[in-house]
Amino acid sequence: MDTSAHDIPPAFRRAVDRAPALCTRPASVMHPTTSTDRVPWASMLILNKRFTRIVTAGIVFVTLFYFLRDKHVEIALEYNHVFHLDASTVQDVCAEFAKDDLLQLIQPVLKMGHGERRDKIEAQLDSVCACFAEDELLIFSDLAETVRGRTVVDILADLPRGYFNATMNPDIKNYIMQKEMQVEGTLDVDVEATKRINGWILDKYKFLPMVQRAWEAKPDRPFYFFLETDTYVFWDNAVRFLTTLDPDKPLYMGSPSPGRHDEEQDIKTWFANGGPGFVLSRGAVKALLDRKEADGKLEPPLVEKWLPLLSMECCGDSVVGWTLWNISVPLQGYWPLFNPHPLHGIPFSDPYWCQPVVTLHKTTPDDVKRLWLWESEQKRFKLNRPILYSDVWNFHHPVQQSIRRNWDNGEWDNFRPPVEANIDSPESCEDFCRSEASCMQWLWRGLDEKQCILMRSARYGQPRRPEPMPEEEGGETPLGTRLKRMTDFTSGWVQERIVQWREEHVCREVQWVEPSIERIF
């Protein structure tokens, strides 16, 4: 296919223009033309020397290029190198973003907290949510403020009076303290006092109010999509998925997590993990906000009704699941479309390959921005279909080494060698992995731990320095003091086996999944 210059997106063209000209050589160092009066053997010798130098230089260049390229990725991840998206790049990506079609179907709702890291919040607003205007994106938090020029609504300010009884609900002291410090001008200025505010414990109180407030601010939208600051959303895939569903049916969708036990029915319930995001249809929100009448009286509003449960429960997303369960709206589990794993933790295998990916969780600020730009290029150049997990593989894995020290590729889908195998080093751990046909990668936890972990899936992982083992595993000295036992991390991949697996698993059709609470992460 012909791709002329005007077909190349400006964001991609600028990236190419900024790349160093590694393969060019200035005219001043070009070899002069060989004189024709030299004897043939001398000319051949000179040519051979030139050829040898060229080949040697080429080998050195290629070796350094791949080594440094991989080291760059490792260093970037390890030291949280900041990837900057300039305003013109964001503008170019948003120019091709099908926002109008999306907003006819989806109301995006971003939940954050003042105590969260600023780089997480800003990365989300600069990428995944960048193309939405201020009046198109709802942002709810535990404090009214402005971030990146956007209005952030304090969703806790209008809680019923019962929530502010510090005796019955001691959690609310954190909110009161935060508000007082904001008024006094000491919030974030008095660092030690600010650290004493437990923003995590306030988070659970945002969920039910934000559902109610989203409906009040943007009523009657087909679907309400709730995400967090470390949620990555593939909006194009989300639109493709939700277009197939009826918004007037009460639908509650996300990545299943085990919830409360229904004592009356003796059944375990499920809720949508808030981190990967969750979706409520128009029908589900109507059902949730509907107030039943009994004995001539309306039941309390949603948020007031569930205060006793909220004060006892750890997490707001589980409360959402329980309230919906109690009005006969059970979770529709759409794993792996809604993925609880972070980008670097996806365990690539049959369940994570030909399926579309709608969301990721715990995405680092750097990865959020890089992935957003990468996704826009995939849609522009390569794909007229949903982005699959097999596409996401290419974001990290082509620069992967066979072995990485101070690197943890995880324990997902793992098994261990038998004791009689006598695995006592990373080399013997790798050898055992290679002897097992199902082993795709291995992890050696060394120093004092000496554990070999084998895995049936391919996972990228992340940097991890040597660290103390849990205290209970340490033992004591004769004087009764604790021993500090250490572990380090060496990861390896059986590259040829992974390559073969990929060649045998070419995706010939998109595998959209049906809802299930049995098929979970």
Side-chain angles (χ1 to χ4, degrees):
M1 181 179 66
D2 177 48
T3 53
S4 56
H6 66 272
D7 288 327
I8 301 175
F12 185 77
R13 187 161 55 242
R14 281 198 305 276
V16 173
D17 291 341
R18 287 196 293 263
L22 295 175
C23 297
T24 60
R25 182 168 54 174
S28 59
V29 298
M30 296 289 283
H31 288 291
T33 305
T34 304
S35 174
T36 57
D37 59 357
R38 285 178 175 155
V39 292
W41 64 265
S43 297
M44 290 299 296
L45 180 61
I46 291 170
L47 288 172
N48 286 340
K49 287 181 177 178
R50 287 180 188 164
F51 179 77
T52 302
R53 285 196 295 268
I54 291 170
V55 170
T56 302
I59 292 172
V60 171
F61 172 79
V62 171
T63 302
L64 285 173
F65 176 77
Y66 280 97
F67 174 77
L68 290 175
R69 182 175 67 165
D70 195 65
K71 294 304 287 182
H72 169 72
V73 171
E74 186 168 341
I75 291 168
L77 286 169
E78 188 164 1
Y79 296 105
N80 198 26
H81 171 71
V82 176
F83 178 72
H84 179 65
L85 280 172
D86 58 70
S88 57
T89 299
V90 173
Q91 186 176 9
D92 292 340
V93 173
C94 289
E96 297 181 352
F97 182 62
K99 183 174 71 172
D100 293 341
D101 293 339
L102 186 153
L103 291 175
Q104 288 178 8
L105 184 70
I106 296 171
Q107 175 56 55
V109 182
L110 175 63
K111 178 177 70 66
M112 58 165 279
H114 176 78
E116 290 189 73
R117 285 168 39 191
R118 289 288 109 172
D119 59 340
K120 282 176 58 179
I121 300 168
E122 292 170 357
Q124 179 68 243
L125 295 176
D126 291 347
S127 56
V128 174
C129 295
C131 301
F132 301 122
E134 183 176 351
D135 63 340
E136 295 167 343
L137 172 69
L138 298 176
I139 309 177
F140 297 137
S141 182
D142 49 24
L143 193 73
E145 56 184 320
T146 301
V147 180
R148 281 288 198 264
R150 295 177 181 269
T151 300
V152 178
V153 175
D154 180 356
I155 197 64
L156 304 184
D158 296 327
L159 287 175
R161 182 179 301 176
Y163 279 77
F164 294 94
N165 184 330
T167 303
M168 297 184 63
N169 183 26
D171 296 342
I172 206 67
K173 293 177 182 178
N174 294 279
Y175 175 72
I176 295 170
M177 180 179 177
Q178 183 170 263
K179 292 277 285 186
E180 288 175 348
M181 291 182 67
Q182 184 187 39
V183 171
E184 295 166 358
T186 57
L187 187 64
D188 301 322
V189 177
D190 187 338
V191 177
E192 291 304 314
T194 303
K195 284 181 180 178
R196 290 196 290 271
I197 298 170
N198 189 339
W200 182 84
I201 208 167
L202 291 176
D203 189 69
K204 64 182 180 181
Y205 294 99
K206 302 171 194 169
F207 281 82
L208 291 180
M210 76 178 179
V211 174
Q212 181 172 323
R213 188 69 171 267
W215 179 267
E216 293 169 354
K218 302 286 184 178
D220 214 36
R221 296 299 170 94
F223 295 99
Y224 294 81
F225 202 119
F226 299 90
L227 63 148
E228 302 190 357
T229 55
D230 59 357
T231 310
Y232 187 89
V233 183
F234 293 81
W235 289 117
D236 180 70
N237 282 6
V239 170
R240 291 172 186 267
F241 168 58
L242 294 174
T243 300
T244 66
L245 304 175
D246 182 354
D248 290 311
K249 290 183 177 180
L251 301 175
Y252 167 42
M253 297 163 283
S255 178
S257 289
R260 297 175 64 86
H261 187 82
D262 186 330
E263 300 292 346
E264 290 185 8
Q265 301 184 58
D266 192 24
I267 189 173
K268 180 171 65 175
T269 67
W270 297 83
F271 67 91
N273 184 338
F278 65 96
V279 177
L280 292 174
S281 68
R282 175 168 55 212
V285 178
K286 282 183 176 180
L288 191 61
L289 298 180
D290 184 44
R291 297 170 65 184
K292 306 296 183 186
E293 185 174 344
D295 299 327
K297 294 182 179 179
L298 281 177
E299 66 179 358
L302 173 69
V303 180
E304 185 177 336
K305 177 181 177 180
W306 292 102
L307 170 59
L309 176 60
L310 267 170
S311 59
M312 297 185 298
E313 194 75 6
C314 77
C315 308
D317 45 8
S318 66
V319 173
V320 170
W322 182 246
T323 59
L324 286 161
W325 173 262
N326 277 270
I327 57 170
S328 301
V329 183
L331 175 67
Q332 306 269 315
Y334 277 100
W335 172 90
L337 306 187
F338 294 81
N339 185 0
H341 296 282
L343 177 66
H344 63 264
I346 299 171
F348 291 102
S349 53
D350 281 327
Y352 288 96
W353 197 247
C354 295
Q355 301 80 9
V357 51
V358 173
T359 67
L360 299 173
H361 184 209
K362 296 182 180 177
T363 320
T364 67
D366 197 56
D367 276 348
V368 165
K369 293 179 285 187
R370 291 180 185 275
L371 189 57
W372 185 65
L373 189 56
W374 173 87
E375 182 194 357
S376 71
E377 298 300 341
Q378 305 311 298
K379 291 187 293 187
R380 177 63 174 82
F381 280 114
K382 295 173 60 177
L383 300 175
N384 188 23
R385 58 164 174 78
I387 288 180
L388 310 180
Y389 280 98
S390 56
D391 299 312
V392 177
W393 167 281
N394 294 308
F395 182 80
H396 268 157
H397 281 267
V399 296
Q400 178 179 286
Q401 297 172 338
S402 293
I403 297 177
R404 279 189 165 181
R405 306 193 188 284
N406 293 325
W407 195 271
D408 182 1
N409 60 8
E411 301 185 27
W412 198 261
D413 195 19
N414 75 84
F415 61 105
R416 308 293 176 100
V419 176
E420 57 268 23
N422 294 320
I423 307 299
D424 59 0
S425 68
E427 291 77 16
S428 57
C429 184
E430 178 183 11
D431 290 343
F432 193 90
C433 179
R434 289 182 176 277
S435 73
E436 294 288 318
S438 64
C439 185
M440 305 283 272
Q441 65 179 48
W442 53 271
L443 169 65
W444 174 250
R445 297 172 69 109
L447 298 178
D448 296 309
E449 186 167 359
K450 293 183 171 57
Q451 288 286 328
C452 177
I453 301 162
L454 313 173
M455 284 152 278
R456 300 179 184 88
S457 54
R459 190 174 182 270
Y460 185 68
Q462 59 187 334
R464 193 170 181 181
R465 295 290 190 187
E467 61 188 46
M469 295 172 62
E471 283 190 18
E472 60 270 20
E473 299 181 21
E476 295 185 356
T477 68
L479 296 177
T481 57
R482 301 297 299 179
L483 288 171
K484 273 197 173 180
R485 301 178 66 201
M486 299 293 291
T487 186
D488 65 1
F489 306 86
T490 301
S491 296
W493 297 261
V494 186
Q495 292 283 29
E496 62 274 16
R497 194 170 286 167
I498 294 172
V499 169
Q500 180 182 354
W501 186 89
R502 291 183 65 212
E503 290 173 349
E504 294 171 352
H505 290 75
V506 176
C507 297
R508 306 197 183 281
E509 62 180 25
V510 177
Q511 295 180 7
W512 292 100
V513 298
E514 295 296 323
S516 171
I517 53 172
E518 295 180 358
R519 186 191 65 248
I520 61 169
F521 59 89

